[in-house]
Amino acid sequence: MSQTLNTSEPAGPESPDIESAQPNSRRRNIWTLVFSLIALWFINHSLPVYLSLDPNQARIPHLRRDIPWHYPLLVAHVFSGTVALVTVCLQVWPWLRRNHPAVHRWSGRIYVFAGALPSGLLALAIMPFSAGPAGNTVAAVAWLATTVAGLRTARQRRYREHRRWMAYSFALTMQIIWGRVLLIYVLPLFEYNFADPAKLNLALETATWIGFVINLLLAQWWLERTARDTTRR
Ligand code: HEM
């Protein structure tokens, strides 16, 4: 996970060389490729209709045309979310961190200030009109909080904590994808009745919870496992 957003300073006592302390760098490069391909699939699926800036093409059926700022804020959320997805994949790429730390620092700033923070705040702004408000609100608040904590700990050079917070932030950025997989690929396998409004609502709300719960559990498992590896070494 991201070692630091500010690695220009030499490592202090609380900044173990996390990169070199961890084996399996090759495996992590491969995982980064997998994450990037998944993110590209999602971007290719969701971005083009919003690039048109045409509200008629919006995928959400409940777009509020009587509220003039709903569509622009939704589009801004999608654009900044795309920035977050691309840059977070750069952030977790071990090769880039090791060989081009300056690029890592800059893409980290872009991730925070042009991706996660604006996208999370915009998600909260359009939340009242969303189809799965409960799960989305929890996810948006957690996304903002973990990203801010990751930024703060990097600036204070508390790199162990920074790594932990950015692992959660990464998990929350990528969570958006699993809901779409559920809706587009899994439920149709069971001939799910999306025409029934109650069932549609259930599916949309479930889609918002499923991604971030699974991803946070995976992030926690990964943190514990790599902590054990490091201790053993
Ligand atoms: C924790 C993170 C996120 C939260 C809480 C969140 C929340 C939301 C909310 C509330 C909506 C409106 C849905 C509705 O009105 O029913 C939405 C729509 C959307 N979001 Fe996010 N979002 C997050 C991350 C992202 C990311 C990283 C992307 C990447 C591009 C993204 C792409 C989209 C798209 C494309 C839509 C429009 C709906 C669609 O076309 O499928 N979101 N999001």
Side-chain angles (χ1 to χ4, degrees):
M1 192 50 49
S2 167
Q3 183 182 354
T4 171
L5 292 169
N6 180 11
T7 49
S8 53
E9 301 294 332
E14 217 207 316
S15 56
D17 186 349
I18 290 169
E19 201 68 75
S20 65
Q22 294 182 359
N24 308 326
S25 174
R26 200 183 128 109
R27 203 165 14 155
R28 287 197 190 153
N29 281 323
I30 293 170
W31 271 113
T32 306
L33 181 66
V34 174
F35 292 139
S36 306
L37 290 176
I38 295 171
L40 282 178
W41 166 79
F42 179 82
I43 291 168
N44 182 48
H45 162 76
S46 58
L47 186 63
V49 294
Y50 295 98
L51 282 175
S52 69
L53 302 180
D54 175 5
N56 294 319
Q57 293 196 35
R59 281 229 175 80
I60 53 170
H62 45 272
L63 184 70
R64 293 289 297 268
R65 288 164 193 279
D66 54 324
I67 299 173
W69 48 265
H70 188 202
Y71 181 70
L73 292 200
L74 174 67
V75 171
H77 164 73
V78 176
F79 287 178
S80 46
T82 303
V83 171
L85 267 183
V86 171
T87 49
V88 87
C89 289
L90 292 178
Q91 288 311 95
V92 297
W93 186 10
W95 179 88
L96 187 74
R97 281 202 302 273
R98 223 181 0 256
N99 295 297
H100 299 283
V103 177
H104 174 74
R105 283 197 296 280
W106 272 104
S107 71
R109 288 177 191 126
I110 295 170
Y111 169 69
V112 172
F113 294 111
L117 293 189
S119 192
L121 290 170
L122 288 159
L124 286 177
I126 55 175
M127 198 66 73
F129 319 114
S130 102
N136 268 327
T137 304
V138 177
V141 171
W143 198 24
L144 292 168
T146 53
T147 306
V148 169
L151 175 69
R152 271 192 78 220
T153 45
R155 290 200 162 154
Q156 294 166 352
R157 304 175 69 206
R158 289 154 49 201
Y159 298 117
R160 258 181 220 283
E161 289 166 70
H162 168 66
R163 178 170 172 269
R164 180 169 287 273
W165 287 117
M166 290 317 263
Y168 299 142
S169 179
F170 168 71
L172 287 156
T173 306
M174 297 294 285
Q175 60 90 19
I176 191 70
I177 293 164
W178 305 131
R180 300 302 196 282
V181 171
L182 178 78
L183 295 174
I184 298 170
Y185 295 113
V186 180
L187 291 181
L189 286 179
F190 301 96
E191 291 176 9
Y192 194 85
N193 183 9
F194 288 101
D196 177 341
K199 287 199 159 186
L200 176 66
N201 269 348
L202 178 66
L204 292 174
E205 187 63 78
T206 307
T208 65
W209 285 94
I210 206 150
F212 77 84
V213 172
I214 291 175
N215 270 16
L216 283 177
L217 286 172
L218 284 174
Q220 188 59 31
W221 169 81
W222 179 80
L223 285 165
E224 298 303 329
R225 207 195 67 143
T226 50
R228 271 204 306 276
D229 282 354
T230 309
T231 311
R232 219 178 292 134
R233 277 154 57 86

